Amino acid sequence: MSASTITPTNGAVPAELLRAAQGKPAAPTQRVPMGIRVITGPGTTPAGRTNAASAPAARPPRTLDQLLSLAQGSDNARTRQLAEKITGLVDELTGRLEAELAAVARELAAKEAKLAAELAAVRQKMGTGSVGTAQRAAIRQWAQANGYEVAERGRIPRNVLQAWATATGSEVTR
């Protein structure tokens, strides 16, 4: 079978189909574009090889406070100077972040108060809350006294509300 008689199907490459038909292993999945060579730099090992001498020694992770403490106790003046500078920067950053968080907290508190006021207004308009409850209780009492059938709980029928509003001359808050 020649490569010219194989037609690619489902995006297959003719060379891969030919290799598969001949029973040869598939080409490596990681390809290097033409003209590019893989070169290792100084102090590194070629891919696939391991060198225990070139691997960095494993160090336990250190926190910023631990590093600054070590640097402040250093014999090297430049290291101590950098530790002082970094400590100052960390303090400044902490202060700025705390100020930002306080501003955000104030903003959220203001928004919460505004939303609470809006919710109270909506509840007042809908007739929920203590005033609405008292008014609904009065409407139910009036309806039962005037021969209307009204449940103890739930929605009061519109005709009962209109009759109550007409009879008492008041407005129903809903």
Side-chain angles (χ1 to χ4, degrees), residues 17-167:
L17 292 173
L18 182 61
R19 246 187 248 108
Q22 294 173 347
K24 294 180 180 177
T29 57
Q30 182 179 10
R31 296 182 183 180
V32 177
M34 291 181 64
I36 298 177
R37 282 195 248 155
V38 178
I39 300 175
T40 59
T44 61
T45 57
R49 295 184 190 171
T50 57
N51 186 354
S54 66
R59 292 185 303 201
R62 294 185 176 146
T63 65
L64 181 62
D65 291 333
Q66 290 172 335
L67 287 173
L68 288 174
S69 174
L70 287 172
Q72 288 169 347
S74 174
D75 292 335
N76 188 328
R78 177 68 179 148
T79 303
R80 288 191 309 272
Q81 180 185 15
L82 287 173
E84 289 176 23
K85 183 176 182 179
I86 292 171
T87 301
L89 290 172
V90 167
D91 291 343
E92 181 182 351
L93 178 62
T94 302
R96 286 178 177 262
L97 288 175
E98 287 173 354
E100 283 182 27
L101 288 175
V104 168
R106 284 190 303 273
E107 183 180 327
L108 287 176
K111 287 181 180 179
E112 181 183 18
K114 180 182 175 189
L115 288 174
E118 289 177 12
L119 180 60
V122 168
R123 284 185 173 160
Q124 178 69 30
K125 186 176 180 181
M126 291 181 61
T128 58
S130 60
V131 173
T133 304
Q135 185 181 36
R136 284 193 306 271
I139 294 170
R140 287 180 201 283
Q141 186 179 14
W142 176 89
Q144 290 170 351
N146 290 295
Y148 290 97
E149 290 186 25
V150 180
E152 291 182 26
R153 296 182 341 173
R155 189 171 178 168
I156 300 172
R158 181 177 300 270
N159 64 338
V160 174
L161 291 173
Q162 290 172 347
W164 179 80
T166 304

